[in-house]
Amino acid sequence: LQEALKISIQPSSELIAWGGRLYGDMFHRIVPTSHPIQLEVAPKQTLFPFAIRDITQLRLGEGRLDLGKVSLQNQDGAFSNFLLPLEKGIVPVWCTPIYFSIQDNTLQLKRWDCQVAGRYTLAGWGQGQLFPFRLYLTLGLHPDILQTVFHVSTQKNYLFQIPIKFRGGEIQVSQKKVLARIGALASQLQSDSRGKLVGALLDAALSDNLSATPPKPTTSPFPWKSDQ
């Protein structure tokens, strides 16, 4: 690649159906909109193989995927879950750009943040495998979700981290373990020293070696903040 590659993709019904066949139900939920998806790839350390059989040799030194504002169909309520109790209907999602790289069939994703339904904020980062496609991510719940959904108050910049997997078109997360860790977090926030100790021990046992310091946002301020 000699110069930056820039692609603008319209999320048409045909493209959404194709993505759904490859990557599962989540893509089928995207509503075709007038907002194009922007993809940009820097030329440095980027290599596109000539033959499709060598696609695992694809290398991207630095890429930027800007989803912007998208809408997801939730008329059946199936998109709602114990983390995001969403109402039925169309759910607006506003994301910061996703910065990524690809090397040796491994996809590295830097932190991105999203606002869901105009009131829930979450972050994500991690890595994955392109072929076959699977992701191993850390989902970060912002304090607004913890307060609204679980009635747990934390510091402004705190992120509650949850390990998730995306394989076979399905998102895999342990609900029991997440709820247990939220209970441990609530115990740590108690003024009683015994409660803090018990909460810390429970969280350490259930945390799956999550990073004590999550990555900083790649976009600041968040676009939905500056738009208010």
Side-chain angles (χ1 to χ4, degrees):
L1 194 65
Q2 299 299 318
E3 58 184 31
L5 175 66
K6 298 181 180 180
I7 301 176
S8 180
I9 305 171
Q10 188 71 32
S12 64
S13 300
E14 293 78 9
L15 181 62
I16 292 168
W18 175 80
R21 289 193 297 270
L22 288 180
Y23 303 118
D25 180 65
M26 181 63 71
F27 284 81
H28 281 302
R29 293 187 176 278
I30 298 175
V31 178
T33 70
S34 58
H35 299 284
I37 297 172
Q38 306 290 341
L39 174 65
E40 184 173 344
V41 177
K44 187 177 181 180
Q45 297 181 342
T46 294
L47 173 66
F48 289 96
F50 287 103
I52 191 65
R53 65 176 180 273
D54 299 325
I55 194 63
T56 56
Q57 303 302 314
L58 171 68
R59 292 205 309 267
L60 297 180
E62 182 177 307
R64 180 180 185 270
L65 179 64
D66 192 353
L67 300 176
K69 297 179 180 180
V70 297
S71 297
L72 300 178
Q73 300 181 52
N74 189 43
Q75 284 87 345
D76 57 0
F79 188 55
S80 303
N81 53 58
F82 72 104
L83 295 176
L84 299 174
L86 303 169
E87 298 178 358
K88 291 184 178 181
I90 302 299
V91 178
V93 180
W94 196 347
C95 296
T96 63
I98 302 173
Y99 295 90
F100 65 93
S101 62
I102 299 174
Q103 183 77 28
D104 298 327
N105 199 38
T106 299
L107 172 66
Q108 296 286 348
L109 298 167
K110 294 184 178 180
R111 173 176 166 175
W112 72 94
D113 293 80
C114 292
Q115 185 191 66
V116 181
R119 63 181 183 274
Y120 301 125
T121 315
L122 52 85
W125 63 88
Q127 65 178 19
Q129 179 179 297
L130 286 183
F131 306 99
F133 185 73
R134 57 190 62 179
L135 294 174
Y136 305 94
L137 303 176
T138 297
L139 188 69
L141 304 186
H142 282 246
D144 54 7
I145 296 180
L146 296 173
Q147 176 63 52
T148 304
V149 180
F150 301 105
H151 309 291
V152 176
S153 298
T154 62
Q155 296 180 352
K156 181 179 179 180
N157 295 323
Y158 179 81
L159 277 184
F160 182 81
Q161 300 178 56
I162 301 172
I164 64 172
K165 298 178 182 178
F166 183 88
R167 289 190 292 190
E170 295 184 356
I171 298 175
Q172 302 173 4
V173 57
S174 173
Q175 179 175 344
K176 289 184 178 180
K177 184 176 288 188
V178 171
L179 294 177
R181 287 191 58 234
I182 290 176
L185 173 63
S187 296
Q188 290 183 71
L189 296 173
Q190 292 179 7
S191 57
D192 177 72
S193 59
R194 183 178 180 181
K196 289 182 179 181
L197 176 60
V198 172
L201 292 174
L202 284 172
D203 188 57
L206 299 167
S207 63
D208 292 323
N209 297 318
L210 294 169
S211 173
T213 305
K216 294 182 179 180
T218 55
T219 302
S220 183
F222 298 141
W224 50 89
K225 293 288 187 181
S226 59
D227 195 54
Q228 293 176 352

